[in-house]
Amino acid sequence: MLQTIIVDNFFDNVEDIINLSKELDYHTASENENWPGLRTDSLHSTHYDLFNSVIIKILNYYYPNKKINYSNSKVVFSKLKHDDQGKTRFHVDDDVRIAAVIYLSEGDIEGGTTVFENNNKNKKQIVVGNTLNSMIAYDGNRRHGYTSLLPFDSKERLTLNVFIGEVDGA
């Protein structure tokens, strides 16, 4: 299992990233997907430089000073509101080596992310707050999910979600 990493001030230009999120099209989950709210398509097809720089920056926290290749990865904007629901709130990303959430809206500990213990799927180990421009990265095979949407009754929870499927050279 990979360690969980939390980084403050992830982007130097967070306002530019938030503005970009407002220009893109969003859609709901398909029948075979399990996520609430709205998401964009992966940025690799429209904003490759941003897609690549986000993934490389996250990989550098895990594998500093190593030449790493990645594949089967996605970077998407996600919008959640108070009444949004997926099929399950807490889940495991089976086909994801590293998952990350970068918070792009103001929030608090209730609107953040919960990661469960490795060996106990019902015991919370880490609860990180939704702090603007902070990032949490974790092993995608650990049970995790948004802590609560109660703080987003009158506003949206905007995040950049990262899914790194395969990592070579680690």
Side-chain angles (χ1 to χ4, degrees):
M1 280 279 157
L2 293 171
Q3 65 184 335
T4 299
I5 296 174
I6 300 168
V7 176
D8 291 326
N9 302 311
F10 186 83
F11 289 114
D12 293 332
N13 58 340
V14 71
E15 289 302 321
D16 292 342
I17 304 301
I18 293 168
N19 288 335
L20 173 63
S21 77
K22 296 173 184 176
E23 297 173 9
L24 301 174
D25 294 326
Y26 289 77
H27 57 86
T28 58
S30 67
E31 185 68 28
N32 62 345
E33 294 175 309
N34 174 32
W35 44 266
L38 301 171
R39 285 188 180 174
T40 64
D41 291 333
S42 179
L43 298 180
H44 72 274
S45 59
T46 58
H47 295 84
Y48 181 79
D49 289 344
L50 176 60
F51 165 86
N52 187 58
S53 68
V54 167
I55 290 177
I56 294 298
K57 186 171 184 175
I58 292 168
L59 288 174
N60 280 328
Y61 286 112
Y62 284 99
Y63 310 106
N65 305 314
K66 286 192 174 184
K67 181 172 170 44
I68 301 295
N69 295 310
Y70 66 89
S71 59
N72 298 328
S73 301
K74 295 189 296 188
V75 176
V76 300
F77 285 102
S78 173
K79 292 180 183 180
L80 295 176
K81 292 183 182 177
H82 177 263
D83 56 353
D84 288 336
Q85 293 182 358
K87 295 174 188 164
T88 59
R89 181 164 134 208
F90 297 115
H91 60 280
V92 172
D93 296 322
D94 293 321
D95 56 349
V96 174
R97 180 72 178 117
I98 300 169
V101 177
I102 304 165
Y103 302 101
L104 299 174
S105 59
E106 291 291 346
D108 60 18
I109 196 75
E110 285 297 313
T113 301
T114 298
V115 180
F116 290 80
E117 273 189 10
N118 183 20
N119 297 325
N120 185 341
K121 293 183 177 183
N122 295 316
K123 187 172 181 186
K124 295 176 182 178
Q125 183 178 32
I126 299 166
V127 179
V128 64
N130 176 7
T131 301
L132 178 64
N133 200 22
S134 66
M135 185 262 320
I136 178 173
Y138 45 88
D139 193 308
N141 291 296
R142 292 186 67 179
R143 190 167 183 241
H144 62 276
Y146 62 85
T147 303
S148 172
L149 294 178
L150 290 176
F152 299 97
D153 191 25
S154 62
K155 59 183 178 175
E156 288 181 325
R157 178 188 195 247
L158 177 65
T159 59
L160 191 64
N161 297 4
V162 181
F163 306 96
I164 305 171
E166 295 177 24
V167 178
D168 297 321

